[in-house]
Amino acid sequence: MSNLIHLNTDTTSLVIKAEKSLPEILYWGKRLPEDTGLDTFFEANHHPVPQARIDTGTVVSLCPEHARGLFTAPGLEGCRHGDDWTPEFSLSETTMDGHRVRFLCHDPRAALQLVINLGLNPGTDVLETSLTLTNQGDSGYQLRKLTNTLLLPTHAREIMYFHGRWTHEFQTERKKLDRSGFILENRRGRTSHEHFPGIMIGQPNFSETSGKVYGFHLGWSGNHRFHAEAMSDGRRYLQAGELLMPGEVELAPGASYSTPTLYSTYSNKGLNGISQNFHRHVRREIVRFPEPGKVRPVHLNTWEGIYFDHDPEYIVQMVRSAAEIGVERFIIDDGWFRGRNDDKAALGDWYLDEQKYPRGLQPIIDCVKDHGMEFGLWFEPEMISPDSDLYRAHPEWMLHTDGYDQVTIRNQYVLNLQIPEAFDYVLGRLDSMLSEYDIRYIKWDMNRELVQPTHNHRAAFHGQVQAYYRLVDEVRKRHPLVEIETCSGGGGRVDYEVLKRTQRFWASDCNDALERQTIQRGASYFFPLEITGAHIGAKLCHTTGRQHNADFRGITALFGHMGVELDPARASEEEKRGFAKYIALHKSLRHLLHTGNYFRCDTAHKESQAWGVVSQDQSEAVLMFAQLAMPEYAMSATVLIPGLDPQKQYKVQVLENSSSDIYMKRCPPWMVEPATMSGALLEQVGLMMPVLQPESAMLIHLEEI
Ligand code: GLA
């Protein structure tokens, strides 16, 4: 068999057949030895043709075609006013550049060109794919769907997907992948809390530490569709792309449409392998810090501390208290601009409220800088309140459909960034604020979904997302040293495309440490800790009404890009000591947390969970063990710690424990005095855990001796 493309990393191989028709994945999994007679192997093994089916057999290519008798979801759907709806492509040219391959394909009858781009990153094991369709005809082509398709092996039989809502992001659920298929659709116009564009598919019962698993993530901050299916012949595939509305994309002669990039990775070491590959990819290929190598500064965000109640003199007191507890970046959240006294007005009027700030922002910024901190400010640039000067001047800038009433969500509308004047206005306001003041950080929020977005008489989800990217890009071009956080009512807009332009995401508006344990665990499948915003909130959590001590809140917020979100000026001395302790601890551990390999442990009891980080050289690790709910059993279980060096001896000691030991007459001895254990024992035999109080956690440090 000729024309086999064989891409390798240290651990993964991808074999693609590229002959006359669209390319097809023959193998994707654990690295194959080279020169093992691949050609003859695949010749002999592939494509038996069952009875009562297409006589020549069918191929699930990187863009499946109905035209070839494949009765599954096609990779491309569209038409030219009814015609050219079932294209059939042939491969014209294959070009390789290192680990990247470009397949150029044509259908002369339908006058369409399709380019399939694919790259297996040798340093991260992540496969990037995207497709571009170009209309080579002389009339418009109405595109309904263009999506990435990857054929999976038959042992990929179980799905883990993510769901959520405001204050409850990144929840996981499992499902069998069978003939009924699996569809995940997002129509909310942002990445969404509800349908995070990521999915894991693997061997039944794959776990954190074992099993063959494939991980997928679509880098797109708008509508999307994931479709996985076990076909009637037993083959399995995953499709992921943008979900287009009717008429949303019409390609004029010569015009192109490209899919968002699908990021995929394989591991035979369970979910930890997947997330470590994804984290490496985010670190090396996605996130760009304005000042690489700079430590991630600890935040104070004013939101839950003062909400809309901005008094500059009081804020200065907060700044001083923040500095005392060790904060390094002070961010004024919502409420600083003209007329913004609650969430019912003023979005769009991005001018400092001079009634609240009669002396401007400068005295506060000076105070922040005098205390050795950076200053950050909140914006929600894509929005417009019906009660705003901007709306009164330009009601036509609202993103809507003529002839229908637009709903409000959180009392606000969306600004149509596809109108050049609206785009320029908001860019101008951001530019002016960032030029006038020394603002080093933007919290860029987006607090509502798109409903009936129409522009130029067409559905305009796609256009709005593209315009948003352009807006952030332009802001960054003009202010390259400003760091940007992506926030959308918490974790409603985080994906690899937005992370190419931002350096942090706000994982959730829920600062309840117990909820955060699950939310941060869910986010950890795709995102490394240094970009995951995690704050210590007030003792009485504002979104759940639960109370936790500073230790449980501190241990939980430690595993991320840490901050506090409360009013330190009003906090008790005891609380403040707690914040200071965890901020100091975070600073002493962030070299490890923000560069090491993150792992989750498989815990035997569902009421507890454990995660940790091992340094790249395996000389140091930190482990968190959390008791989420009342222990079912009188004794806890051992936790196996993956990723240490089996040959090395480690000193194991407790750093912090938020639980009182009321459940234990005798604790495991390593809790009383540091113990020495080998990496092999810790991984294979594990560490016997104590029984902790529900809603508490413990922090353990491991250091090579
Ligand atoms: C959203 C964000 C919060 C806060 C508020 C301000 O809900 O997620 O963190 O910034 O907006 O209105």
Side-chain angles (χ1 to χ4, degrees):
M1 190 189 285
S2 59
N3 297 324
L4 272 198
I5 290 169
H6 191 177
L7 298 180
N8 282 323
T9 70
D10 289 347
T11 54
T12 307
S13 288
L14 177 69
V15 182
I16 294 176
K17 180 180 160 191
E19 281 184 328
K20 292 193 196 100
S21 51
L22 290 184
E24 175 197 10
I25 294 179
L26 296 186
Y27 175 81
W28 177 28
K30 186 176 171 191
R31 189 190 158 116
L32 298 167
E34 268 163 276
D35 304 326
T36 43
L38 275 185
D39 282 24
T40 27
F41 176 83
F42 284 114
E43 186 77 65
N45 273 283
H46 264 69
H47 299 323
V49 178
Q51 289 291 0
R53 291 195 170 243
I54 305 289
D55 293 330
T56 46
T58 52
V59 166
V60 181
S61 71
L62 292 167
C63 185
E65 297 153 294
H66 171 84
R68 298 190 190 269
L70 191 77
F71 303 107
T72 185
L76 162 64
E77 284 180 59
C79 67
R80 207 181 285 285
H81 302 290
D83 200 358
D84 298 333
W85 68 276
T86 173
E88 187 177 303
F89 289 92
S90 10
L91 179 61
S92 321
E93 191 184 282
T94 303
T95 23
M96 283 196 69
D97 174 14
H99 284 74
R100 299 202 154 265
V101 196
R102 177 176 183 269
F103 300 105
L104 176 67
C105 316
H106 289 102
D107 176 347
R109 183 197 176 282
L112 293 171
Q113 172 188 290
L114 179 69
V115 173
I116 303 175
N117 284 305
L118 179 152
L120 180 62
N121 190 305
T124 68
D125 271 317
V126 170
L127 173 69
E128 291 190 10
T129 45
S130 67
L131 279 63
T132 299
L133 184 76
T134 304
N135 177 11
Q136 298 186 320
D138 47 20
S139 61
Y141 190 80
Q142 296 86 47
L143 184 65
R144 189 75 173 87
K145 170 184 174 190
L146 183 66
T147 193
N148 297 279
T149 307
L150 295 175
L151 186 67
L152 300 172
T154 39
H155 57 253
R157 306 181 93 83
E158 190 172 311
I159 294 180
M160 181 173 120
Y161 69 99
F162 298 80
H163 66 96
R165 62 178 171 80
W166 177 69
T167 63
H168 196 56
E169 296 85 342
F170 299 110
Q171 309 293 311
T172 57
E173 195 83 52
R174 296 228 180 187
K175 241 182 159 240
K176 208 169 137 195
L177 174 56
D178 58 19
R179 272 184 289 264
S180 63
F182 171 83
I183 287 177
L184 182 94
E185 274 189 1
N186 175 39
R187 295 167 183 270
R188 292 175 178 262
R190 58 178 173 185
T191 320
S192 90
H193 303 72
E194 288 76 7
H195 312 290
F196 177 75
I199 184 174
M200 311 289 178
I201 308 183
Q203 265 180 324
N205 304 318
F206 60 84
S207 76
E208 302 295 354
T209 53
S210 69
K212 296 178 181 160
V213 193
Y214 296 82
F216 304 92
H217 169 64
L218 189 75
W220 181 243
S221 316
N223 294 340
H224 59 250
R225 184 173 209 259
F226 279 63
H227 183 185
E229 191 188 353
M231 295 162 56
S232 67
D233 60 19
R235 285 180 291 182
R236 281 136 204 278
Y237 67 88
L238 178 275
Q239 280 185 343
E242 188 181 2
L243 178 70
L244 298 174
M245 294 297 124
E248 183 160 18
V249 174
E250 165 144 353
L251 296 177
S256 300
Y257 167 88
S258 295
T259 66
T261 301
L262 176 65
Y263 300 86
S264 315
T265 191
Y266 164 78
S267 168
N268 57 5
K269 296 204 183 78
L271 291 162
N272 282 337
I274 296 291
S275 50
Q276 284 165 9
N277 292 350
F278 276 145
H279 292 186
R280 222 176 298 124
H281 202 70
V282 170
R283 285 173 173 168
R284 293 189 191 174
E285 309 292 339
I286 305 288
V287 172
R288 293 284 169 263
F289 290 106
E291 296 168 84
K294 176 179 152 187
V295 292
R296 310 290 292 126
V298 174
H299 282 193
L300 181 134
N301 181 292
T302 59
W303 180 238
E304 290 197 352
I306 52 171
Y307 291 106
F308 296 102
D309 186 10
H310 289 209
D311 165 1
E313 273 163 33
Y314 190 73
I315 292 178
V316 162
Q317 284 182 44
M318 290 174 77
V319 171
R320 293 200 186 104
S321 317
E324 273 165 31
I325 56 174
V327 167
E328 297 162 310
R329 187 185 268 157
F330 190 93
I331 297 122
I332 296 192
D333 207 283
D334 197 356
W336 58 267
F337 47 101
R338 255 184 223 165
R340 184 69 167 174
N341 300 317
D342 54 33
D343 67 6
K344 293 187 179 57
L347 294 170
D349 299 344
W350 303 110
Y351 296 87
L352 186 71
D353 188 332
E354 277 150 10
Q355 284 181 1
K356 286 186 189 168
Y357 293 89
R359 296 173 56 221
L361 271 183
Q362 202 53 48
I364 294 181
I365 299 182
D366 289 343
C367 180
V368 167
K369 288 167 71 177
D370 288 348
H371 285 84
M373 295 185 274
E374 288 177 13
F375 180 74
L377 198 59
W378 180 94
F379 289 90
E380 200 182 353
E382 300 139 79
M383 296 295 151
I384 179 167
S385 302
D387 181 4
S388 65
D389 292 342
L390 183 64
Y391 186 75
R392 281 180 282 274
H394 291 289
E396 76 286 3
W397 285 1
M398 177 207 351
L399 187 61
H400 71 296
T401 302
D402 270 344
Y404 300 111
D405 284 339
Q406 173 66 206
V407 294
T408 54
I409 304 181
R410 207 196 187 202
N411 313 300
Q412 64 201 51
Y413 295 139
V414 179
L415 190 66
N416 185 350
L417 295 178
Q418 296 150 97
I419 298 173
E421 295 77 15
F423 183 98
D424 290 346
Y425 163 79
V426 74
L427 173 63
R429 287 317 309 146
L430 282 159
D431 191 22
S432 151
M433 289 300 296
L434 295 174
S435 306
E436 184 173 351
Y437 295 110
D438 187 5
I439 297 171
R440 302 299 295 273
Y441 183 84
I442 297 177
K443 177 173 173 185
W444 188 308
D445 214 334
M446 195 263 195
N447 276 315
R448 64 156 283 179
E449 285 108 342
L450 311 187
V451 179
Q452 281 188 330
T454 296
H455 180 66
N456 286 343
H457 308 286
R458 279 185 193 281
F461 287 100
H462 178 83
Q464 181 75 6
V465 175
Q466 295 282 18
Y468 154 68
Y469 290 152
R470 281 202 306 281
L471 183 61
V472 191
D473 289 343
E474 192 54 39
V475 170
R476 288 181 63 225
K477 206 163 106 201
R478 295 184 188 189
H479 303 278
L481 289 180
V482 174
E483 212 178 276
I484 304 178
E485 169 176 58
T486 172
C487 172
S488 184
R493 184 162 65 187
V494 53
D495 55 78
Y496 290 0
E497 193 57 37
V498 74
L499 283 176
K500 286 183 183 164
R501 319 171 148 79
T502 52
Q503 294 82 16
R504 185 195 212 240
F505 69 99
W506 183 223
S508 180
D509 275 355
C510 187
N511 288 318
D512 177 324
L514 179 65
E515 297 298 328
R516 275 288 185 146
Q517 283 280 334
T518 307
I519 293 168
Q520 289 172 210
R521 179 187 181 122
S524 78
Y525 290 102
F526 301 91
F527 308 112
L529 297 181
E530 64 272 21
I531 60 164
T532 306
H535 294 175
I536 301 180
K539 183 166 192 166
L540 180 75
C541 174
H542 294 198
T543 52
T544 62
R546 285 198 195 103
Q547 293 207 38
H548 294 116
N549 62 25
D551 291 306
F552 185 45
R553 285 179 285 152
I555 293 174
T556 305
L558 202 71
F559 288 87
H561 177 202
M562 188 178 174
V564 290
E565 184 160 334
L566 37 80
D567 177 0
R570 233 170 255 158
S572 70
E573 286 307 314
E574 190 198 346
E575 278 272 288
K576 271 201 278 196
R577 272 196 300 279
F579 309 149
K581 176 168 104 181
Y582 283 96
I583 290 175
L585 191 57
H586 183 74
K587 288 180 183 172
S588 73
L589 289 173
R590 67 185 157 191
H591 65 278
L592 168 63
L593 298 169
H594 293 171
T595 61
N597 272 324
Y598 179 92
F599 61 84
R600 293 160 303 269
C601 304
D602 287 315
T603 37
H605 303 157
K606 65 177 185 328
E607 320 83 54
S608 61
Q609 71 173 12
W611 65 46
V613 181
V614 189
S615 63
Q616 298 290 345
D617 65 2
Q618 297 168 302
S619 66
E620 190 188 2
V622 60
L623 179 79
M624 185 226 53
F625 175 72
Q627 189 68 48
L628 305 177
M630 190 65 182
E632 289 263 325
Y633 298 93
M635 268 169 73
S636 191
T638 48
V639 167
L640 309 181
I641 305 167
L644 300 167
D645 182 338
Q647 309 296 331
K648 286 182 175 159
Q649 295 291 326
Y650 293 89
K651 178 172 144 201
V652 180
Q653 66 175 331
V654 177
L655 282 185
E656 295 297 339
N657 182 2
S658 80
S659 171
S660 76
D661 47 13
I662 52 168
Y663 291 106
M664 300 299 300
K665 193 172 279 175
R666 193 174 70 208
C667 294
W670 58 266
M671 280 183 70
V672 186
E673 258 190 56
T676 301
M677 301 177 201
S678 75
L681 279 180
L682 286 162
E683 173 150 21
Q684 286 166 245
V685 184
L687 206 54
M688 176 49 94
M689 289 294 160
V691 181
L692 300 183
Q693 283 175 303
E695 304 183 21
S696 67
M698 192 167 138
L699 200 66
I700 300 149
H701 191 243
L702 298 100
E703 199 172 6
E704 182 186 354
I705 296 178

